[in-house]
Every structure is written in structure tokens, then in C-alpha cells.
Amino acid sequence: MTAQINSIDLGVSTEDYLKAIYKLEAHGQPAQTTSIAEALQISAPSVSGMIKRLSDNGLVEHQPYKGVHLTDEGRRVALAMLRRHRILETYLMEKLKFSWDAVHAEAERLEHAASDLLIQRMALALGNPRFDPHGDPIPTESGEIETPLTVALTDVPAGKRVVLVVVGDQDPARLRFIESLGLKPGVTFDVVSHQPFRGPVEIWLVADRKNEVLGHELALSLQCSLIEEEA
């Protein structure tokens, strides 16, 4: 069952568009035609046609040269889809023992078919989790979502201790590599050094007592929370 607006079935592609636009806006990026096309891996002309349809249905507002913004109704649908996706990811990993690098693709296939009742039962079985396996917040049934205060690892000064909050990369190979380093949400580490010119970042894993080096692009996908030093 897909979300509905004014008794019109939005369809799979429309829901995917709204979710992609929400993610772009949430990361502070303008939801331009090119960025939406890149996120969905489709052509820019296809995006232009869908944006008009979304606008006609009152789901987005489009200002030329300024990008696309979700309306209140569009945001509601996007958050409902994010809830489905992240509940499915969590259920697949915790109850069905999928690896965290496999749950994203599975959830993408299931999220449009799952009924509201099924998602509700899954959430209850999981104890109504607040975060998915990658650390992303799970919207509530009423459409509320937490916004943890985080900073990309690339922006954390050397000498600071942080806890990893969100792994923002969904590529399976990269997730397997990140896991092989001992990194998952909740892991604490010290930032040892940054190499200049978008160079690698060296970290010290506190619990494992070992150093690891991360490339700039990978470090950019890791959202962290600073641990305040005790006085």
C-alpha cells in the first residue's frame, strides 16, 4: 500500500522523489533538478516532468533557479516513507539477521509494498526504535523526527574525541569496509590528524586501542557528536 493524497495513489516513483527531495533539503542542499536526478540516477528531463506533477498535486513548490521545496503535505509523505524504510532496515537486521550493508537495498524493494499495519507491527516488535542500523533517526507515526546535532568527521579538529552517530553511506562495499575498521554508530574515537588538501583522516579507536586511516570522501559520510571534556 502506498501513501495517498486526495485519494490519488502517488505511486512508487513519486514517493521516491519526495524522499530524495527531503534528504537533499535535510542536508542543507538545494534540491535542484540535477541533484535530484543524481540522487535517483535518472535523467534531468525526466525530473523536470515529475516536478511539474508534484507541484500540480501540491506536494512541492518550485522556484526557477532556486530549486524545489517540499510543502507541508509533501514533507508528511516523505517522512512516512522514511519511517517505512528505516523500520524495515531495522527489522531486517535485528529480527532477520541481515547484515547492515544489505538492508538498504532490501528495504528499498519492500517499502512501497508494506502496509501501514505491517510497519506498525514491526515497530512494536522492535520496541519502537528511534534510530535505524546506520544511525539515522526514525520518524514517529505522527511525522516527528529527531535532528541530532552532528558534525562531519572531516570538520572535527584534531585532538577531539567523538562518538559516531550516523553512517551516511549506503554503498554495500563501503559499509563492509567501515565495519571492518570497527566503526558503527555508538563507537567512540579520537581524531588524531587531518592531512591537507582533502587528504585522509587518522583516528584512534578508544575501545579497540588501534589507529585507522580514512579517506576524505569516506570521512565526509561519517557524522559525529563531540564529547565534551570534563573540567
Side-chain angles (χ1 to χ4, degrees):
M1 178 186 296
T2 54
Q4 297 199 1
I5 292 200
N6 298 329
S7 299
I8 299 173
D9 187 351
L10 293 177
V12 170
S13 62
T14 302
E15 293 170 346
D16 285 340
Y17 269 84
L18 295 176
K19 192 170 64 169
I21 293 168
Y22 175 86
K23 288 181 178 180
L24 288 168
E25 289 193 291
H27 286 90
Q29 303 176 41
Q32 304 283 9
T33 299
T34 52
S35 57
I36 297 170
E38 183 178 347
L40 296 173
Q41 298 183 332
I42 56 178
S43 68
S46 297
V47 172
S48 298
M50 179 59 83
I51 292 304
K52 184 180 186 307
R53 179 187 172 193
L54 294 175
S55 180
D56 290 344
N57 279 304
L59 299 171
V60 302
E61 294 177 349
H62 183 213
Q63 296 179 301
Y65 309 108
K66 292 186 178 180
V68 178
H69 299 280
L70 294 175
T71 63
D72 289 343
E73 189 67 356
R75 187 174 187 274
R76 181 189 69 77
V77 176
L79 286 170
M81 292 309 301
L82 279 179
R83 175 175 172 79
R84 285 168 178 259
H85 183 92
R86 292 173 181 174
I87 288 291
L88 283 163
E89 283 192 335
T90 309
Y91 192 90
L92 287 166
M93 187 167 171
E94 292 194 13
K95 298 296 185 181
L96 302 183
K97 306 307 177 185
F98 277 69
S99 60
W100 80 328
D101 58 285
V103 294
H104 177 72
E106 289 293 337
E108 283 287 314
R109 286 188 279 268
L110 294 170
E111 65 185 34
H112 301 289
S115 69
D116 291 338
L117 178 60
L118 178 59
I119 297 300
Q120 183 183 55
R121 295 280 178 87
M122 285 181 170
L124 287 172
L126 291 165
N128 290 310
R130 294 164 54 205
F131 302 95
D132 74 7
H134 307 104
D136 286 307
I138 298 174
T140 65
E141 284 189 279
S142 60
E144 297 175 351
I145 187 169
E146 295 185 43
T147 52
L149 183 61
T150 62
V151 59
L153 175 55
T154 50
D155 295 326
V156 178
K160 292 292 185 180
R161 176 165 292 185
V162 298
V163 60
L164 181 57
V165 178
V166 180
V167 176
D169 199 315
Q170 300 291 354
D171 180 78
R174 290 185 181 182
L175 285 173
R176 286 192 293 272
F177 177 71
I178 291 170
E179 184 175 28
S180 74
L181 301 179
L183 288 169
K184 276 196 172 183
V187 169
T188 299
F189 58 88
D190 297 329
V191 179
V192 178
S193 66
H194 292 267
Q195 293 299 313
F197 310 113
R198 298 175 65 87
V201 180
E202 183 182 3
I203 65 173
W204 167 259
L205 291 162
V206 176
D208 293 341
R209 300 188 61 80
K210 65 175 182 176
N211 285 74
E212 295 291 354
V213 177
L214 303 170
H216 181 88
E217 185 178 354
L218 201 60
L220 190 63
S221 72
L222 304 182
Q223 293 292 319
C224 308
S225 179
L226 290 168
I227 297 177
E228 297 296 333
E229 297 179 2
E230 295 183 1

